[in-house]
Amino acid sequence: MPGTATAFFRCGFASTTKPRELAALNVYGASMEEHLIPRAGQHRLYDLTSENTSAETKASTARWYAEMMIDLFFSEKGKSRVGAEKFNRLSLGEKIKILKEDYSNGLIDSLNLIKQFGDMASHYQSGRTIEAESVENVIKKSLSLFDFVLIGLMKDNGIRKTEVTATLFSTFLPSIRVRVLKEIIDLGSVSGDSDNDMFLLDKLVLALTKNGEGKKAIRLLEKLKKQEKIGDYHVNFWKEKIEIIQGKIDEGVLPIPENISDCKRNFDDVFSQLSDDEKAQNDSLIEVFNTMFDQVEPSKMGDKQPSLMVLM
């Protein structure tokens, strides 16, 4: 079983992570492996997740983390509307009000929750405490803010914007892809006759398998078949595909990313093969990659086979 330091390490930077930062709390270990953290936020992860920091420290750090994520990924439209200098001077609450015009209720609700507990943590009130369960929820919301960046780009058929868009998306962690895909596909109305539904379901089944959840993918397929949303052909097709992919996983040759450096490695491999036109058409998604992977060194491919990116 990987220890706490290992769990944190997989989410951070191998060359720059400090010993103090490796003391992330075990309870967040699994969660930490499921997220990507921008370099600008690395030095605050100890405060956000360590068992040695108080609930108040975690909550106030979550507020800081939300402000960082807004600046990196959600501020462009707000800055265009009111000017960059003015936007930067606004309070978190004021920024959230501006973001409300352009972003989903899910993002706004997460930001408001983080702000609420961050504000509570920053001001003394006799007898007031922040419960551990509330803090865990705030941390989860903070680490999941990046999901909303991708949901915004992938929804409304954005994932099919070009033939390579989904391949670019596939270079992120499988866990991130699972969460995003679950948000952009309506499993309650999936139809085997819909090309778009089948495309999204295919990506979800693959992401689940890459995330170590192949059995869950099969259960999902069986459930959709029972609901008569898909047929035997679909189930058999995906079961065969899952078996092939699982075999490559067991061989250790499939380049599934486990940390941010692996993601950078896979992204660089895909990006190097794009035409100028494909780069231009995917400029918004590529900018997200460039922001997240700023100053990140790609990992080595090792025994992984770049040609198998087609299975990603």
Side-chain angles (χ1 to χ4, degrees):
M1 293 291 288
T4 304
T6 303
F8 179 88
F9 177 85
R10 290 181 62 186
C11 157
F13 292 81
S15 60
T16 60
T17 305
K18 300 176 182 178
R20 179 175 181 271
E21 294 171 341
L22 293 176
L25 186 59
N26 259 324
V27 69
Y28 302 112
S31 176
M32 294 293 289
E33 293 180 9
E34 298 172 359
H35 300 276
L36 295 177
I37 312 298
R39 183 180 177 85
Q42 287 286 312
H43 70 291
R44 298 302 303 272
L45 285 179
Y46 177 88
D47 295 333
L48 185 65
T49 63
S50 173
E51 60 183 343
N52 298 319
T53 55
S54 66
E56 288 75 17
T57 296
K58 291 180 174 65
S60 62
T61 303
R63 189 185 193 282
W64 177 93
Y65 189 88
E67 291 176 323
M68 175 202 67
M69 291 296 289
I70 288 174
D71 182 63
L72 291 179
F73 296 106
F74 303 108
S75 63
E76 183 177 352
K77 292 180 179 179
K79 289 178 179 178
S80 297
R81 185 173 291 115
V82 303
E85 186 175 344
K86 180 178 179 180
F87 186 86
N88 289 335
R89 292 199 306 267
L90 296 176
S91 68
L92 177 57
E94 291 169 330
K95 289 179 179 178
I96 293 173
K97 287 181 181 179
I98 291 177
L99 295 182
K100 193 173 183 179
E101 299 182 35
D102 299 303
Y103 293 98
S104 68
N105 291 335
L107 173 64
I108 300 305
D109 290 345
S110 291
L111 290 172
N112 278 324
L113 180 71
I114 294 166
K115 178 184 179 299
Q116 175 189 347
F117 282 92
D119 290 348
M120 287 173 56
S122 301
H123 303 284
Y124 173 77
Q125 180 175 318
S126 178
R128 182 172 66 188
T129 59
I130 300 178
E131 300 296 328
E133 183 177 347
S134 297
V135 171
E136 289 182 25
N137 189 37
V138 167
I139 293 172
K140 180 180 178 180
K141 296 290 187 183
S142 301
L143 295 175
S144 298
L145 289 175
F146 184 64
D147 293 359
F148 290 104
V149 182
L150 297 177
I151 291 169
L153 290 171
M154 297 296 105
K155 68 180 183 180
D156 300 327
N157 222 28
I159 194 171
R160 305 186 75 178
K161 184 176 183 179
T162 70
E163 291 184 1
V164 300
T165 303
T167 305
L168 282 166
F169 175 66
S170 74
T171 63
F172 283 116
L173 296 176
S175 53
I176 292 178
R177 286 148 54 190
V178 168
R179 293 195 301 272
V180 171
L181 287 162
K182 283 182 176 179
E183 289 296 323
I184 65 175
I185 181 173
D186 183 2
L187 291 172
S189 63
V190 162
S191 170
D193 296 325
S194 168
D195 176 66
N196 191 59
D197 285 353
M198 294 302 93
F199 179 89
L200 292 175
L201 184 58
D202 181 69
K203 298 306 175 187
L204 178 57
V205 167
L206 297 188
L208 283 166
T209 306
K210 309 291 180 40
N211 201 41
E213 299 178 287
K215 292 182 179 179
K216 180 180 288 189
I218 292 174
R219 289 198 299 271
L220 172 61
L221 294 171
E222 295 288 0
K223 178 180 178 180
L224 292 174
K225 175 190 170 186
K226 186 176 182 180
Q227 295 172 342
E228 300 184 345
K229 291 180 167 56
I230 60 175
D232 288 329
Y233 164 78
H234 299 98
V235 175
N236 293 334
F237 168 79
W238 273 310
K239 281 185 176 180
E240 183 176 342
K241 202 169 186 179
I242 290 170
E243 184 177 351
I244 293 172
I245 292 172
Q246 188 60 55
K248 297 299 182 183
I249 293 174
D250 294 341
E251 289 178 36
V253 297
L254 196 61
I256 299 175
E258 297 182 356
N259 53 53
I260 196 168
S261 293
D262 290 348
C263 292
K264 179 67 163 64
R265 173 198 70 198
N266 287 351
F267 170 74
D268 286 352
D269 182 66
V270 173
F271 185 77
S272 68
Q273 302 175 51
L274 300 184
S275 67
D276 289 342
D277 186 52
E278 289 170 333
K279 292 176 183 177
Q281 292 182 67
N282 290 281
D283 59 344
S284 295
L285 181 57
I286 290 171
E287 179 59 28
V288 169
F289 277 100
N290 289 336
T291 301
M292 176 57 77
F293 298 154
D294 182 39
Q295 300 184 58
V296 175
E297 289 295 324
S299 63
K300 302 292 185 181
M301 190 67 75
D303 294 330
K304 312 298 182 182
Q305 297 180 17
S307 60
L308 293 179
M309 282 297 298
V310 68
L311 293 176
M312 295 295 288

